[in-house]
Amino acid sequence: MGSVIDNSNLRPVQSMTGFGFAGGQINEIIDLTIEVKSVNSKYLEVSLRAPDLVKQFENEILILIKEKFKRGKFDITVNVSSNSSLNKQVVLNELLFNQLYGIAEKVESIVGSKNFKKTNFISEILGFSGVIEIEKAPQVEIGFVDIKDFFIVAFDNLYTSRAEEGWRLCVVLDSYIKQLE
């Protein structure tokens, strides 16, 4: 006995549960990772956990989701970190160095050059707090155009994950139908 249902016009089932991920670098300075999880919901609900650098584009992100999905509860987590070696600058506090070096010259004149090694004192000066400072570079700004493709990849991966789960559900349901026949 054949199947009662004519499945020639059926669209593939898509699960409401899925996971998508994307990540990479922006301008060789910022590392970005996006995780998207979805579960069943009658409505389209979006929760975005992201730093302000990304959260400012929440409306644009919501538009991308609406283009791909009609309903579901979406939890989006975005992590942003900067490449610390590119984001910091080593700076010599010349005023403080010159003051300390001036003191070293006075000490040399008092004790004599035979008893005083300036080269050792220079390394000591450089070790003083505040002589060498590590300054952070200015905060990097990004636009939505810089992160849009990452979100598209994460949403595409989520869509694929939901479709694969849907096909697995179809296989299970089909086996149950065959057992009933």
Side-chain angles (χ1 to χ4, degrees):
M1 178 162 136
S3 177
V4 180
I5 300 172
D6 174 20
N7 57 8
S8 61
N9 291 326
L10 291 180
R11 293 185 350 200
V13 173
Q14 189 179 80
S15 173
M16 297 297 291
T17 303
F19 176 80
F21 176 85
Q25 278 194 334
I26 302 169
N27 301 329
E28 299 179 1
I29 296 174
I30 297 174
D31 291 323
L32 177 78
T33 59
I34 302 168
E35 293 181 5
V36 187
K37 298 174 188 171
S38 72
V39 294
N40 189 21
S41 178
K42 288 182 184 180
Y43 309 102
L44 184 74
E45 303 172 54
V46 178
S47 168
L48 175 64
R49 284 182 299 282
D52 292 338
L53 186 67
V54 174
K55 196 138 180 117
Q56 65 181 325
F57 305 115
E58 189 166 5
N59 290 333
E60 291 88 343
I61 295 166
L62 188 57
I63 290 169
L64 287 178
I65 289 178
K66 287 180 178 180
E67 289 174 356
K68 197 93 173 153
F69 305 100
K70 301 298 176 218
R71 65 187 196 100
K73 182 176 184 323
F74 299 85
D75 289 320
I76 304 169
T77 303
V78 180
N79 291 305
V80 175
S81 62
S82 63
N83 185 333
S84 60
S85 64
L86 293 175
N87 201 26
K88 294 181 181 177
Q89 297 175 344
V90 178
V91 178
L92 175 66
N93 182 336
E94 291 183 45
L95 177 64
L96 182 56
F97 179 83
N98 289 333
Q99 287 175 344
L100 293 170
Y101 191 79
I103 293 170
E105 287 180 329
K106 285 181 185 175
V107 170
E108 180 184 22
S109 69
I110 294 170
V111 297
S113 60
K114 289 183 180 178
N115 299 324
F116 187 78
K117 295 183 180 175
K118 241 189 248 184
T119 54
N120 288 348
F121 199 74
I122 289 175
S123 63
E124 292 289 326
I125 291 173
L126 293 174
F128 273 71
S129 176
V131 174
I132 294 180
E133 299 171 345
I134 298 176
E135 294 181 345
K136 282 196 169 187
Q139 187 69 19
V140 176
E141 294 294 322
I142 61 170
F144 185 63
V145 70
D146 297 316
I147 61 174
K148 180 180 179 181
D149 289 340
F150 292 104
F151 279 95
I152 290 172
V153 169
F155 296 151
D156 285 347
N157 289 339
L158 173 64
Y159 185 87
T160 300
S161 171
R162 288 171 59 156
E164 289 171 352
E165 178 69 15
W167 281 110
R168 286 190 292 273
L169 289 171
C170 285
V171 169
V172 169
L173 290 174
D174 190 50
S175 71
Y176 287 148
I177 290 171
K178 287 181 180 169
Q179 288 175 7
L180 294 173
E181 291 178 345

